[in-house]
Amino acid sequence: MTSANCVRSPRPESGASATRRDLRLGAVGALLVCLGGFGMGDLPRNSPVVTDSGLAWVSYGHGKTLSAIVFWCGVAAMAYAWVRLGRRIARVGDAADADDESLSVSSLRRAVLLWAAPLVVTAPLYSRDVYAYLAQSAVLREGFDPYTDGPAHYPGPLLDSMAQVWTATTAPYGPLFMGLGRAVVEVTGDHVILGVLAMRLVLLPGLFLSLWAIPRLATHFGASPQAGLWLALLNPMVLIHLVGGPHVELLMMGVLVAGVVLTLRRRHVAGLAMLGVAASIKITAGIAIPFVVWIWLSHLRSDREAAAGAITGPAAPLGVHLPGDVRLPMGVRLRVFALVAAIPGAVFGVWTVLLGLGFGWLHGLGWADRIINWFTVPTAVAHLVTWAAAPFTALNLQEVLPVTRGVGAVCLALILVGLWWWGRRDERSAVVGMVWAMVAVLLLEPSTLPWYYTWALCLAAAFTLTDLVRTVVVGISTFMLVVFQPDDSIWFYRPPYLIVALSLSALAAVSLTRRDPLRLGRLTGPCRRADAT
């Protein structure tokens, strides 16, 4: 007979039932985020739909408190399920989990769609950028140039709803995205809520492309496709920020990783065209293009070796060739260089001509300097300099930032060139160089925001990451969900809240490799059976 007070010790995590339970938990969490988002998110301002619907009470007073509870319970559920799935995916090859169909690629793809679905219809979360997309597109629709004229040129509900710090700034986005935005506002007009929903639908193809490309990218390099989906798409930070946001990175990410996959599968022209499309959405994607030179040359060297019956040795991995193994004619190499530059350039040029606004987007890139957070090295160094100098002299942060950011820009340029040259060995090193190039931009550009990390995550899915790297990803992802608030406020400079964010992210990170880092199991004790006789 078992004692009534006995609590059985939890069984080890394994089996399809545990996986299905976590997948359902994540879906429930996403639904709670959706519901809580209507009170915690960035609702449109001065919207009669919001005020006349009778639901405005959820955004203030006790209603907002209730919304906050629902929202953060949803975030916690998604993060908890994600960490548990990551722990199980890491041992997919073990006998205990080898037959778990719930961890198949198709099951995880369905889970991504299930988790993302509620976020398509919630209020904008963590940012008002989607209102800026619509306002800039409306400026274009009205005959202005969004690359020279800010949204303030067209007053109305779209302008009211966007973050006011950007009302006079110009658009930094590529010609293709501006054309898509114009198509949206042509259909939805100045209706803010319909515009947000339509913009999400325009960006969703990026999610579908990512679902197609990321498993193929991982498989190409012998990594786990399940781990790739877990890293880049089941990640709550990615789903909540990119779908719930929404952000242009959702579309750019999908086109970017699809272009890389096509080049790796030797469809070089199609892959470069896709990368040109990605750069036409947001120019950051162009960082990946120069690395395609080495991928293409590596393929040509492999073909020549195969044709000549060259043998590189039994220990050499398939497809790995040193630059000196096969000497390609200079004309061949120059032709590859020319095509890698010409094909994406032509695609970008076509979209630029169709939009008819030239290269004004270059001017918009400089507005990122207005964002100040210490998550980039130049800004962190500027804060440290002003803090260290405080006992001796008063240094204004705005005077130090241009210096540290200028040094950061020079270092970034040198690092990008160095990474490109380092990646010349073969296609694997070229993709590794892409990932590190994206990381370098994240660390050394003037400012970094949570959704920017998808640039590196979607490409890092190509490789088998160590437990340390995966732990860092979990910690940073959780931190970015907590320190940035769903109503567009930030806890970066509020020490008590920052400590909470750091503590929660550290707990999530440690939980990836340890089931019970707080050792809460000690509270229940072992299960002891009592014999009635």
Side-chain angles (χ1 to χ4, degrees), residues 191-213:
H191 196 292
V192 183
I193 295 176
L194 289 181
V196 170
L197 294 175
M199 185 61 72
R200 282 199 177 111
L201 293 178
V202 166
L203 298 178
L204 272 181
L207 180 62
F208 302 137
L209 280 172
S210 298
L211 286 170
W212 173 84

Side-chain angles (χ1 to χ4, degrees), residues 161 187 268 360 398 449 506:
S161 296
V187 174
H268 306 107
Q398 298 297 332
L449 294 169

Side-chain angles (χ1 to χ4, degrees), residues 301 305 312 320-328 333 424-426:
R301 287 196 298 268
E305 284 190 356
T312 58
V320 176
H321 306 279
L322 294 174
D325 286 342
V326 174
R327 288 290 181 180
L328 294 173
R333 285 181 281 174
R424 72 191 187 281
R425 186 170 184 267
D426 52 48

Side-chain angles (χ1 to χ4, degrees), residues 198-495:
M199 185 61 72
R200 282 199 177 111
L201 293 178
V202 166
L203 298 178
L204 272 181
L207 180 62
F208 302 137
L209 280 172
S210 298
L211 286 170
W212 173 84
I214 286 176
R216 287 169 170 80
L217 179 63
T219 301
H220 184 85
F221 290 107
S224 165
Q226 293 95 328
L229 290 171
W230 173 85
L231 177 78
L233 294 182
L234 281 171
N235 187 330
M237 182 196 75
V238 173
L239 288 177
I240 295 176
H241 278 293
L242 262 60
V243 180
H247 289 283
V248 65
E249 274 75 11
L250 179 60
L251 182 60
M252 186 201 83
M253 175 182 73
V255 180
L256 168 65
V257 70
V260 172
V261 167
L262 288 174
T263 60
L264 290 170
R265 301 178 88 174
R266 296 173 176 261
R267 298 176 61 183
H268 306 107
V269 174
L272 285 167
M274 286 289 282
L275 291 176
V277 171
S280 302
I281 296 168
K282 192 168 184 177
I283 196 60
T284 312
I287 294 171
I289 294 174
F291 292 92
V292 176
V293 168
W294 308 129
I295 296 174
W296 200 338
L297 290 177
S298 176
H299 292 165
L300 291 176
R301 287 196 298 268
S302 298
D303 293 342
R304 284 180 174 254
E305 284 190 356
I311 301 176
T312 58
L318 180 63
V320 176
H321 306 279
L322 294 174
D325 286 342
V326 174
R327 288 290 181 180
L328 294 173
M330 180 61 71
V332 173
R333 285 181 281 174
L334 290 177
R335 186 164 63 249
V336 169
F337 273 79
L339 288 172
V340 169
I343 295 171
V347 172
F348 193 97
V350 167
W351 290 114
T352 300
V353 171
L354 289 176
L355 190 67
L357 298 179
F359 292 90
W361 51 269
L362 286 167
H363 176 63
L365 297 178
W367 296 116
D369 290 352
R370 289 194 175 191
I371 303 172
I372 300 176
N373 60 52
W374 48 257
F375 219 62
T376 63
V377 174
T379 306
V381 170
H383 280 299
L384 288 174
V385 168
T386 55
W387 175 77
F392 312 102
T393 184
L395 280 181
N396 191 311
L397 181 65
Q398 298 297 332
E399 297 174 349
V400 179
L401 273 176
V403 178
T404 57
R405 286 175 169 175
V407 173
V410 173
C411 292
L412 177 60
L414 295 174
I415 290 172
L416 290 179
V417 172
L419 286 170
W420 177 75
W421 185 248
W422 176 86
R424 72 191 187 281
R425 186 170 184 267
D426 52 48
E427 62 177 19
R428 183 183 184 87
S429 61
V431 177
V432 171
M434 283 186 199
V435 176
W436 281 114
M438 294 295 183
V439 172
V441 173
L442 292 171
L443 293 177
L444 293 172
E445 68 174 346
S447 60
T448 289
L449 294 169
W451 44 95
Y452 292 1
Y453 287 84
T454 56
W455 307 343
L457 284 177
C458 67
L459 297 176
F463 308 110
T464 301
L465 305 179
T466 65
D467 284 345
L468 176 60
V469 174
R470 294 168 69 247
T471 298
V472 170
V473 169
V474 169
I476 293 176
S477 298
T478 306
F479 181 76
M480 290 299 184
L481 275 174
V482 178
V483 78
F484 287 86
Q485 294 291 287
D487 61 356
D488 207 16
S489 60
I490 303 176
W491 284 359
F492 266 126
Y493 299 99
R494 303 173 68 179

